Amino acid sequence: MAIKSVQAVFRSLATLEKTVEKCHIELDEQKNRLTFTLHCKHGLMKTHNLSFQDSESLQAVFDKDSYGNAFRSHPRLLVDTVVHFPPSLDEVTVSVSDDRMWFRNHVEEEADQSKAMLTELCLASDEFDHFAVQVHNSITFCLKELRGLLVFAESTGLPISMYFDEPGSPVVLSVTDSVLEGNFVLATLSDDPNHRKNNTRRARTPPPPPDDFMNDDIDSYLIAMDTSIAPGPSATGPPTPPLADSICSKQAAAANHRTRLHSEEEEEDDETVDSSRPPNKKFCSLFFGSVFPPSSQMTTQPVTSQEVLASDSEDDVE
Amino acid sequence: MPLSTQSQADDEQYVLVASLDNARNLSNILKAITFKDHAIFNATPNGLKVTVEDSKCLQANAFIQAEIFQEFTIKEDSVGFQVNLTVLLDCLNIFGGSTAPGVSTALRMCYKGYGHPLTLFLEEGGVVTVCKINTQEPEEPVDFDFCSTNVTNKVILQSESLKEAFSELDMTSEVLQITMSPSQPYFRLSTFGNSGNAHYDYPKDSDMMELFRCTKTQTNRYKMSLLKPSTKALALSCKVSVRTDSRGFLSLQYLVRNDDGQICFVEYFCCPDEDVEEE
């Protein structure tokens, strides 16, 4: 059924609040009609008979309670976060550590890297009503969808819960109250098994906190940018952000950028020295490269169960 | 009155002189019927009637009684001419049409007769503007032959609820169907749009219904494009009477109160779109 036709029924919110006393919804399967009857003040009755078509619906297979990472906050927090990203931004990357959550804009590989603006926000766990992280993951999903549901959540004032697992698994945003439960299931970018070069490394556990993923040059770049990353970048040296995991090896795709190459080389050296160091290389590709050709993975439809399973089996992040 | 500085002798030549302290009392009501460029003016000792027509299917009339004017002098039984309504409205609002309280444009409208332009003297804050608008041979307005004796169904509604319904009407529908009946659904507005149909039902005992006089069940369809201009009149009005006659012709009469609380009428006549089987 076209959303516009249903929207037309409830066109004027102000009028609705002032005049409508009750709304009756009835489905007539024989005539293929969905009828909305609005009983208004002064005896006025508005009847809308909308036609509909049978269609197959996609069923998203997900179990939000089984997801390792769960958060809950007032929608205001997320609204204030996404407002910093340009309206044209398609995708956002969310990363978590034990006590922080980062929001970064996701930059396409095709974009002119030297002109790309990178935005990053960090939220502390105490800004959330509930903050539980089991796995330091990083997921990338469509920001536009998030904005849409934030508008809804903010108007209801209900807390939003967010559940996600590893990249590739859908992220579920949930709004609940006594009369309704809304689950917004968004697909996330997954790792592409074909591109992965660092299988073994990835098998390492656990993925390190994201705030120390800086490579030397990226480090200074970020310092220069005066980002809001709380812990000093690379002060504690070590392991790469799980981000890298999520991007998994777009090195192939990322191979173009000089800086990237440079970093990669550096890291390779580093890696021989510190084998416990997780793939900075991967991080670089996140930073400069495209994660995945958007069309094949990024959809606003709930990820079908097949895709999720495929990622699960190959993407052993733990 | 500043405009009376004009020589009285000139008045001898005019067949029609009409003065208003507040030109808005005329311009507002004319806006309610401005859907075509040209309007036919017909002045009688009773007052001024302005008519606008569209493709012989729709006619709008605005009535401004002589009592509304501060001065209304007419030398003949009937004075008629046709002018460009858009130009007239632009002139009436020549001082910017500000709605600041206490500030109003005074108008003196004069007409010497056939072949002469319509002369408007407009004054605001001591500044006087003279506008002369060319007149044309008045066309004979279509006579819809709508007599009260032929009226089968009549309702008078408070405009408020009708305004809401009209603002929500599905514009993808080509027609607006009006059903009037002594039994359910009494008074119904229906649209048939791309996504489905919609009905607005007004029960006969609603608070909004001031008068309900329906003798037989009638359903008529009218082109939405023809009725759309009437929403301007609806917006200005406080009450509207909806009448249909035995042929299905529609008469909408709007009661409009002007800035000074005086009453004027705007009337729309519309032909039915097609012959609909009467239920």
Side-chain angles (χ1 to χ4, degrees):
Chain A
M1 185 162 211
I3 281 203
K4 279 199 160 61
S5 34
V6 184
Q7 268 184 322
V9 178
F10 301 101
R11 192 173 307 174
S12 164
L13 273 181
T15 321
L16 279 177
E17 280 169 32
K18 270 195 307 189
T19 61
V20 179
E21 286 167 4
K22 63 178 179 180
C23 175
H24 180 75
I25 305 179
E26 190 180 308
L27 183 67
D28 183 341
E29 292 195 37
Q30 281 174 337
K31 292 190 201 166
N32 273 358
R33 275 203 318 208
L34 181 65
T35 303
F36 290 86
T37 309
L38 300 165
H39 296 260
C40 308
K41 287 206 293 213
H42 307 294
L44 170 59
M45 197 164 81
K46 302 179 192 175
T47 311
H48 294 261
N49 297 312
L50 305 172
S51 52
F52 64 85
Q53 296 167 322
D54 283 331
S55 69
E56 278 190 21
S57 57
L58 283 179
Q59 279 287 38
V61 176
F62 62 92
D63 179 9
K64 63 189 188 210
D65 297 318
S66 73
Y67 286 168
N69 300 329
F71 313 91
R72 192 174 65 247
S73 74
H74 191 274
R76 190 77 245 167
L77 176 69
L78 295 178
V79 168
D80 288 344
T81 305
V82 303
V83 78
H84 294 282
F85 294 100
S88 55
L89 181 64
D90 285 329
E91 287 135 23
V92 70
T93 302
V94 172
S95 320
V96 289
S97 72
D98 283 332
D99 56 358
R100 280 180 228 294
M101 179 185 283
W102 282 261
F103 279 77
R104 288 182 193 87
N105 62 323
H106 175 67
V107 182
E108 296 286 342
E109 181 208 339
E110 295 87 54
D112 187 349
Q113 299 304 337
S114 62
K115 291 189 183 144
M117 178 170 80
L118 302 161
T119 308
E120 182 181 291
L121 269 109
C122 179
L123 299 172
S125 59
D126 57 12
E127 298 193 61
F128 290 81
D129 296 339
H130 175 73
F131 193 96
V133 174
Q134 279 179 17
V135 182
H136 296 168
N137 269 329
S138 188
I139 52 167
T140 302
F141 56 91
C142 185
L143 178 60
K144 289 197 164 84
E145 305 294 322
L146 176 62
R147 282 195 213 267
L149 77 91
L150 283 177
V151 168
F152 172 70
E154 222 195 345
S155 65
T156 57
L158 295 169
I160 293 187
S161 301
M162 187 160 141
Y163 306 87
F164 62 89
D165 222 358
E166 64 236 359
S169 266
V171 53
V172 180
L173 293 127
S174 181
V175 178
T176 313
D177 81 353
S178 53
V179 296
L180 69 89
E181 181 188 333
N183 288 318
F184 298 83
V185 184
L186 302 176
T188 63
L189 281 175
S190 80
D191 297 334
D192 178 9
N194 300 329
H195 282 129
R196 278 191 304 133
K197 289 180 191 171
N198 305 306
N199 266 350
T200 50
R201 227 175 285 115
R202 216 203 314 261
R204 270 177 224 288
T205 44
D211 46 336
D212 300 325
F213 51 80
M214 297 314 142
N215 228 5
D216 295 346
D217 54 335
I218 301 170
D219 212 356
S220 41
Y221 165 68
L222 281 173
I223 289 173
M225 275 172 58
D226 191 29
T227 60
S228 61
I229 297 175
S234 73
T236 47
T240 336
L243 294 176
D245 294 333
S246 74
I247 313 310
C248 172
S249 28
K250 314 314 164 184
Q251 280 98 335
N256 307 334
H257 205 284
R258 282 181 181 263
T259 319
R260 203 180 310 121
L261 280 173
H262 168 67
S263 317
E264 277 170 29
E265 281 162 51
E266 265 184 52
E267 288 158 70
E268 269 163 10
D269 291 343
D270 288 344
E271 272 155 13
T272 51
V273 171
D274 178 6
S275 57
S276 68
R277 227 173 184 224
N280 283 338
K281 197 180 289 197
K282 287 186 192 164
F283 163 66
C284 285
S285 30
L286 158 66
F287 215 64
F288 296 100
S290 162
V291 193
F292 212 89
S295 51
S296 55
Q297 286 285 0
M298 275 317 268
T299 68
T300 55
Q301 297 295 325
V303 175
T304 62
S305 52
Q306 269 191 323
E307 286 219 27
V308 173
L309 288 173
S311 302
D312 277 345
S313 60
E314 280 155 348
D315 227 15
D316 194 357
V317 183
E318 299 308 315
Chain B
M1 281 206 306
L3 289 178
S4 63
T5 53
Q6 202 193 334
S7 136
Q8 294 299 344
D10 286 346
D11 281 5
E12 294 302 312
Q13 347 163 11
Y14 293 123
V15 298
L16 172 68
V17 176
S19 296
L20 276 174
D21 284 347
N22 183 356
R24 270 203 298 276
N25 287 340
L26 179 63
S27 61
N28 279 348
I29 204 165
L30 289 182
K31 277 192 221 160
I33 59 169
T34 311
F35 51 89
K36 283 280 172 195
D37 276 342
H38 292 274
I40 305 161
F41 276 68
N42 191 349
T44 65
N46 289 333
L48 190 63
K49 174 180 165 187
V50 186
T51 306
V52 180
E53 285 184 339
D54 184 0
S55 53
K56 306 277 183 219
C57 294
L58 178 75
Q59 183 184 91
N61 297 300
F63 296 92
I64 307 116
Q65 296 109 293
E67 292 76 38
I68 308 268
F69 294 91
Q70 272 66 53
E71 180 197 345
F72 194 86
T73 313
I74 184 167
K75 294 223 170 88
E76 288 165 24
D77 283 339
S78 165
V79 174
F81 52 85
Q82 186 166 303
V83 288
N84 185 319
L85 191 55
T86 316
V87 171
L88 174 63
L89 276 173
D90 283 346
C91 292
L92 290 176
N93 287 314
I94 206 159
F95 288 102
S98 83
T99 49
V103 176
S104 63
T105 310
L107 164 74
R108 190 155 200 266
M109 189 162 72
C110 310
Y111 181 60
K112 282 187 188 167
Y114 185 80
H116 290 94
L118 179 68
T119 308
L120 304 174
F121 297 91
L122 293 136
E123 183 269 338
E124 185 179 295
V127 179
V128 180
T129 307
V130 183
C131 306
K132 290 193 175 159
I133 307 173
N134 285 338
T135 58
Q136 292 152 329
E137 187 85 36
E139 283 170 15
E140 194 60 41
V142 173
D143 182 5
F144 280 72
D145 197 21
F146 196 98
C147 10
S148 7
T149 45
N150 254 349
V151 170
T152 47
N153 292 321
K154 172 176 176 171
V155 302
I156 297 185
L157 284 162
Q158 296 218 357
S159 301
E160 205 188 301
S161 53
L162 212 54
K163 277 180 208 177
E164 190 193 303
F166 268 78
S167 67
E168 289 181 6
L169 284 181
D170 182 1
M171 286 300 156
T172 62
S173 169
E174 278 191 17
V175 295
L176 176 66
Q177 179 172 287
I178 301 183
T179 303
M180 292 168 79
S181 166
S183 55
Q184 286 275 8
Y186 302 119
F187 183 75
R188 170 181 277 191
L189 300 173
S190 309
T191 54
F192 306 90
N194 291 340
S195 43
N197 52 48
H199 305 289
Y200 291 81
D201 295 339
Y202 293 81
K204 68 175 182 182
D205 50 4
S206 160
D207 310 349
M208 291 277 141
M209 189 76 72
E210 291 211 353
L211 180 103
F212 185 87
R213 211 185 287 152
C214 292
T215 59
K216 70 187 239 214
T217 306
Q218 259 192 327
T219 302
N220 291 296
R221 291 186 178 196
Y222 307 92
K223 276 211 174 359
M224 192 71 93
S225 53
L226 287 179
L227 287 184
K228 225 172 164 286
S230 69
T231 50
K232 281 195 229 177
L234 181 62
L236 285 177
S237 67
C238 40
K239 273 190 223 182
V240 56
S241 116
V242 182
R243 303 179 300 166
T244 50
D245 71 1
S246 50
R247 306 162 299 171
F249 277 63
L250 177 70
S251 152
L252 297 162
Q253 291 171 320
Y254 302 92
L255 191 151
V256 178
R257 266 186 214 283
N258 66 16
D259 285 356
D260 300 320
Q262 295 159 312
I263 291 176
C264 299
F265 287 95
V266 176
E267 182 176 56
Y268 272 77
F269 287 114
C270 191
C271 299
D273 192 33
E274 57 194 277
D275 278 338
V276 177
E277 269 276 298
E278 286 183 16
E279 293 160 40

